[in-house]
Amino acid sequence: MAGACGKPHMSSESLPGKRRLEPDQEPPPQEPLLLSNSDASLSDSEDSVFSGLEDSGSDSSEACTEGEDEVDCDKDSAGTEEAAKEQAQAGPPCPRTEKAGALTRDEYEEDSSDEEDIRNTVGNVPLAWYDDFPHVGYDLDGKRIYKPLRTRDELDQFLDKMDDPDFWRTVQDKMTGRDLRLTDEQVALVHRLQRGQFGDSGFNPYEPAVDFFSGDIMIHPVTNRPADKRSFIPSLVEKEKVSRMVHAIKMGWIKPRRPQDSTPSFYDLWAQEDPNAVLGRHKMHVPAPKLALPGHAESYNPPPEYLPTEEERLAWMQQEPDERKLSFLPQKFPSLRTVPAYSRFIQERFERCLDLYLCPRQRKMRVNVDPEDLIPKLPRPRDLQPFPVCQALVYRGHSDLVRCLSVSPGGQWLASGSDDGSLRLWEVATARCMRTVHVGGVVRSIAWNPNPAICLVAAAMDDAVLLLNPALGDRLVVGSTDQLLEAFSPPEEPTLQPAHWLEASEEERQQGLRLRICHSKPVTQVTWHGRGDYLAVVLSSQGHAQVLIHQLSRRRSQSPFRRSHGQVQCVAFHPTRPFLLVASQRSVRIYHLLRQELTKKLMANCKWVSSLAVHPAGDNIICGSYDSKLVWFDLDLSTKPYKVLRHHKKALRAVAFHPRYPLFASGSDDGSVIVCHGMVYNDLLQNPLLVPVKVLKGHTLTRDLGVLDVAFHPTQPWIFSSGADGTIRLFS
């Protein structure tokens, strides 16, 4: 019934691929299988058949009967005894079967690769062999893995037990000799094993048994495929891979792992801050700058040449703290006992600490770049002509500083206002004063009506705006202007207005005065709308009534704002759109007059805005400030400045655009007028080109004031400037 060694069995239990034991069956105790001498004579090809790659099924052949009655293995123990008797009658087992059974049984019994620490590559060797050695294994490079130093006695262990809250869950790893802290899952696993429970918390020991195989003995086996030839001959693919690797090693393409330098690197923490010393971690370290040693100026009894005069003291007080050469004024004391405490000591020590703490000291790599390559490529000034280059005429006649000026639309006449209480009308070509009107007060602003059909000049004097007919030029235009003013008929019911319109007396009419608009506060600026019917004024007051708009034809006044957004410096009308630009100290607001809403707010980022000008196309704005900045805004680009020009050294008093040429200019208290080329392109993708072309000088400084107002000629590339020296200069 049972087949001998080398004979095939007809029963499925004796063939490869037969069914295994059921999960609830226990195999009978087996005697240790001893290999006979015949096992040593087995060839490599025979031994490879039972290398564990395929299941020989010798284990279950001892557990199940091989008789023809086909009794199940799981019924009772009688079946097991009967199988043992039949195996004894069949003779001694085949050595090959014994060897296969032994290899199949012991293949994963001693495998502990899941439990090994990857740092210890000693293998399954008793660790007692390494008790007398300082190492516990070797790494991949063949270097020793040293044991951690353990110099702790029982007292240290007791202190750790008292101080360390995780001492109870700390164990020593025998493989590496290190202390390991058990996690909560590992502690729970130990507690379950101590209670005799299963290690897996999710395991249910009372689940119903499931038969993986049927209990019926099959006549034919599941598979009886003979062993492949490739299972006992060398692999050609592996041979090819090995040959490739050997060839790569010979050619030097594959290099062995470089030995790592395990010597620790140290650096001197308290080394002197030598700029040539390279510290370990801080290879780009830059030492903190040393404080400058005190000189003669810091002495309590300095030499006389170090003591400042009264003028130098006043000049030092007026300078900004960043612009001062010394942060203190040298003083002289008779003795060291009379020297008081230094008032800025705490502040200077605090600033020094901030410099050391916040300043990033890092050596940057120097790039060898030609300095000329960093300068932007700008066109030559001679290619940007025409622009004013020299002084042509000087208009003299005012006895005090000239605050404002304005040019007629035709460019033939010039009006100027001064602190001497007079308003003068000049002929541009000859610098001859055509007319002088004494208004009895300081003329702070003057504006010629831009409409060529109206001959009117608006002048701001104290709390009134004077409308004068200069009676210059075409007599038909002069006469039509008087007819326009006389054609007005007052309404039957007068309305409440923020300003009063008064007719001029006969004596005032002889001087050219036609109307007087009286306000409650002093007027600082007056400007006309492009059509010549509206004019806006700025009052030096607080609240929402700082800006008023007057209509000439209907003699009406209105306050367009309900609340104030700061001190208004100046206003301007947009040349093509119904916009009103209002410049406060820190920003410029653009209002839509028809919709009565705020359209845009431009942040000037300067202290403070002093003047404003709008490009003739209406898409760009320039602002002058008291901190010597000229700010260019591109309305289509952003609400922040497109360019900030810092060409002047002192405060800017006036800025202006040329109506026809791509020019703009600025006048400053340093007595100079800087003319710049400002080309605005029709292509929206191309940014404006700003190039300074000329610095014009001629005014002398008076009372620390220089140029107070600038204005371009409407048709020629000329510019007028009025200064504190009481003159008006024409540059052409």
Side-chain angles (χ1 to χ4, degrees):
M1 302 293 287
C5 178
K7 296 181 181 180
H9 298 283
M10 298 305 294
S11 176
S12 62
E13 288 83 349
S14 62
L15 296 175
K18 61 177 180 47
R19 70 182 184 88
R20 296 178 180 271
L21 291 175
E22 300 298 335
D24 55 347
Q25 293 179 354
E26 290 185 11
Q30 301 178 1
E31 296 294 333
L33 301 177
L34 301 176
L35 299 177
S36 61
N37 295 333
S38 60
D39 298 338
S41 62
L42 291 175
S43 62
D44 295 340
S45 62
E46 292 175 347
D47 190 21
S48 63
V49 179
F50 303 103
S51 61
L53 300 177
E54 294 185 359
D55 188 7
S56 63
S58 62
D59 293 341
S60 59
S61 64
E62 299 173 3
C64 298
T65 64
E66 297 178 354
E68 295 178 354
D69 48 359
E70 299 180 358
V71 180
D72 291 343
C73 301
D74 55 350
K75 290 185 178 180
D76 51 14
S77 61
T80 306
E81 297 175 359
E82 185 179 354
K85 293 178 181 179
E86 291 180 3
Q87 185 177 3
Q89 295 175 4
C94 177
R96 293 170 62 182
T97 307
E98 287 183 14
K99 182 177 181 181
L103 293 175
T104 305
R105 179 191 61 203
D106 299 334
E107 181 180 359
Y108 299 103
E109 183 175 353
E110 297 296 331
D111 189 303
S112 61
S113 60
D114 297 340
E115 302 173 0
E116 291 182 1
D117 196 314
I118 59 175
R119 292 172 296 183
N120 187 2
T121 57
V122 68
N124 295 328
V125 176
L127 295 178
W129 294 359
Y130 291 93
D131 289 344
D132 298 334
F133 295 94
H135 62 280
V136 75
Y138 300 89
D139 57 6
L140 296 179
D141 296 328
K143 295 185 178 181
R144 295 179 179 180
I145 302 176
Y146 290 93
K147 299 178 183 178
L149 296 178
R150 290 189 171 273
T151 58
R152 308 174 64 82
D153 54 4
E154 295 183 359
L155 180 59
D156 295 333
Q157 294 180 1
F158 176 75
L159 293 178
D160 290 344
K161 183 178 180 181
M162 295 294 102
D163 298 338
D164 189 5
D166 295 332
F167 180 81
W168 62 274
R169 62 167 66 193
T170 304
V171 296
Q172 180 182 359
D173 187 4
K174 294 183 179 180
M175 297 292 294
T176 59
R178 299 179 182 273
D179 292 337
L180 299 179
R181 179 183 175 276
L182 299 181
T183 61
D184 295 340
E185 293 79 4
Q186 293 173 344
V187 172
L189 175 61
V190 172
H191 289 170
R192 286 196 299 269
L193 295 179
Q194 288 178 349
R195 292 195 296 265
Q197 299 177 356
F198 290 94
D200 187 5
S201 61
F203 179 74
N204 184 10
Y206 304 106
E207 291 183 354
V210 179
D211 293 337
F212 292 96
F213 300 94
S214 63
D216 301 333
I217 300 176
M218 295 186 295
I219 299 175
H220 299 286
V222 177
T223 176
N224 195 16
R225 183 174 60 84
D228 295 331
K229 185 178 180 180
R230 63 175 178 268
S231 63
F232 53 86
I233 63 174
S235 174
L236 298 178
V237 178
E238 294 180 356
K239 180 180 178 181
E240 185 178 358
K241 289 183 179 179
V242 172
S243 63
R244 288 179 181 175
M245 295 176 65
V246 171
H247 179 65
I249 293 175
K250 289 181 179 179
M251 298 298 293
W253 301 337
I254 298 179
K255 296 182 180 179
R257 182 179 301 175
R258 293 182 179 179
Q260 298 180 357
D261 188 9
S262 60
T263 58
S265 59
F266 302 98
Y267 67 95
D268 189 1
L269 181 64
W270 307 106
Q272 295 182 357
E273 293 185 348
D274 184 8
N276 298 323
V278 180
L279 301 183
R281 292 183 303 173
H282 309 285
K283 293 185 178 180
M284 303 299 290
H285 176 76
V286 178
K290 303 295 183 180
L291 285 176
L293 296 177
H296 294 293
E298 284 85 351
S299 173
Y300 73 94
N301 188 15
E305 60 268 17
Y306 285 90
L307 296 176
T309 61
E310 190 65 27
E311 295 180 358
E312 294 176 348
R313 185 185 299 272
L314 294 177
W316 185 87
M317 295 295 292
Q318 292 178 359
Q319 286 180 345
E320 295 291 334
D322 298 337
E323 299 177 357
R324 296 170 180 171
K325 260 184 192 178
L326 297 175
S327 59
F328 62 95
L329 285 175
Q331 298 180 13
K332 185 175 182 179
F333 298 94
S335 62
L336 191 59
R337 291 183 299 174
T338 59
V339 177
Y342 185 40
S343 60
R344 300 186 70 254
F345 175 76
I346 297 178
Q347 182 179 359
E348 287 189 356
R349 294 283 78 77
F350 178 71
E351 292 177 354
R352 171 69 176 175
C353 294
L354 285 184
D355 292 341
L356 296 178
Y357 172 63
L358 298 177
C359 180
R361 300 190 303 275
Q362 183 179 6
R363 184 179 290 108
K364 296 184 178 180
M365 300 302 295
R366 183 176 181 180
V367 183
N368 294 326
V369 180
D370 189 4
E372 295 183 358
D373 296 341
L374 301 178
I375 301 176
K377 302 299 181 182
L378 297 177
R380 295 181 301 176
R382 66 175 63 181
D383 298 335
L384 304 177
Q385 290 180 349
F387 54 84
V389 294
C390 61
Q391 178 177 308
L393 292 175
V394 179
Y395 302 80
R396 303 182 185 275
H398 289 287
S399 60
D400 206 342
L401 55 88
V402 183
R403 290 188 176 271
C404 52
L405 55 85
S406 180
V407 189
S408 64
Q412 186 179 1
W413 314 105
L414 176 67
S416 62
S418 173
D419 280 7
D420 58 3
S422 65
L423 186 150
R424 291 179 179 266
L425 301 172
W426 311 81
E427 186 179 9
V428 172
T430 61
R432 184 166 60 118
C433 181
M434 304 298 296
R435 195 168 187 178
T436 302
V437 180
H438 295 278
V439 296
V442 176
V443 180
R444 297 188 176 275
S445 178
I446 192 170
W448 207 296
N449 195 311
N451 191 352
I454 302 176
C455 185
L456 274 182
V457 175
M461 187 269 300
D462 293 341
D463 59 350
V465 174
L466 307 179
L467 298 180
L468 299 95
N469 188 347
L472 297 175
D474 192 354
R475 295 183 179 180
L476 296 178
V477 176
V478 174
S480 61
T481 302
D482 291 338
Q483 292 179 3
L484 177 64
L485 297 177
E486 293 174 357
F488 170 75
S489 58
E492 298 180 357
E493 297 180 0
T495 58
L496 183 61
Q497 298 183 14
H500 301 284
W501 294 70
L502 301 177
E503 291 282 352
S505 61
E506 288 297 331
E507 184 179 354
E508 293 175 342
R509 290 183 67 89
Q510 292 179 2
Q511 295 183 358
L513 183 62
R514 296 294 183 266
L515 290 174
R516 184 191 296 267
I517 308 174
C518 298
H519 305 81
S520 58
K521 298 292 182 178
V523 181
T524 58
Q525 186 205 3
V526 58
T527 180
W528 287 93
H529 187 265
R531 296 184 179 179
D533 192 26
Y534 291 91
L535 70 156
V537 298
V538 178
L539 306 180
S540 61
S541 63
Q542 301 294 332
H544 66 280
Q546 298 183 56
V547 180
L548 298 180
I549 297 179
H550 305 298
Q551 186 178 5
L552 180 61
S553 59
R554 303 177 62 180
R555 298 189 184 180
R556 292 181 55 184
S557 303
Q558 57 181 340
S559 177
F561 303 112
R562 295 182 179 178
R563 60 177 181 176
S564 173
H565 293 282
Q567 184 67 35
V568 177
Q569 300 292 323
C570 54
V571 296
F573 285 102
H574 195 277
T576 58
R577 299 180 183 178
F579 291 163
L580 179 65
L581 289 81
V582 180
S584 60
Q585 291 181 337
R586 299 297 298 269
S587 63
V588 178
R589 297 173 182 267
I590 304 177
Y591 295 94
H592 198 292
L593 296 177
L594 297 182
R595 299 177 184 174
Q596 298 181 2
E597 64 182 7
L598 177 65
T599 302
K600 193 172 293 187
K601 180 181 178 182
L602 308 177
M603 302 305 299
N605 297 332
C606 57
K607 290 185 179 181
W608 312 103
V609 176
S610 62
S611 53
L612 174 70
V614 187
H615 192 270
D619 294 334
N620 295 271
I621 298 173
I622 57 175
C623 298
S625 65
Y626 291 112
D627 56 354
S628 67
K629 295 179 184 178
L630 189 144
V631 184
W632 179 292
F633 287 100
D634 191 342
L635 300 183
D636 296 333
L637 186 63
S638 173
T639 58
K640 296 182 179 179
Y642 165 67
K643 288 286 185 181
V644 178
L645 306 180
R646 298 178 176 87
H647 298 150
H648 290 282
K649 298 180 180 179
K650 291 187 178 181
L652 272 71
R653 294 290 177 175
V655 293
F657 273 110
H658 197 286
R660 294 188 179 182
Y661 292 95
L663 298 174
F664 66 94
S666 59
S668 171
D669 280 342
D670 57 6
S672 64
V673 177
I674 296 181
V675 181
C676 301
H677 177 86
M679 173 60 73
V680 177
Y681 300 94
N682 295 328
D683 186 5
L684 298 179
L685 299 179
Q686 191 171 2
N687 293 329
L689 175 64
L690 310 182
V691 181
V693 293
K694 191 63 178 177
V695 178
L696 304 175
K697 295 183 179 180
H699 292 278
T700 58
L701 298 183
T702 304
R703 289 177 287 183
D704 291 337
L705 297 176
V707 179
L708 298 180
D709 197 3
V710 293
F712 277 102
H713 194 276
T715 57
Q716 300 294 331
W718 302 344
I719 187 171
F720 300 91
S721 65
S722 62
D725 55 356
T727 62
I728 303 171
R729 299 176 186 268
L730 169 63
F731 298 92
S732 63

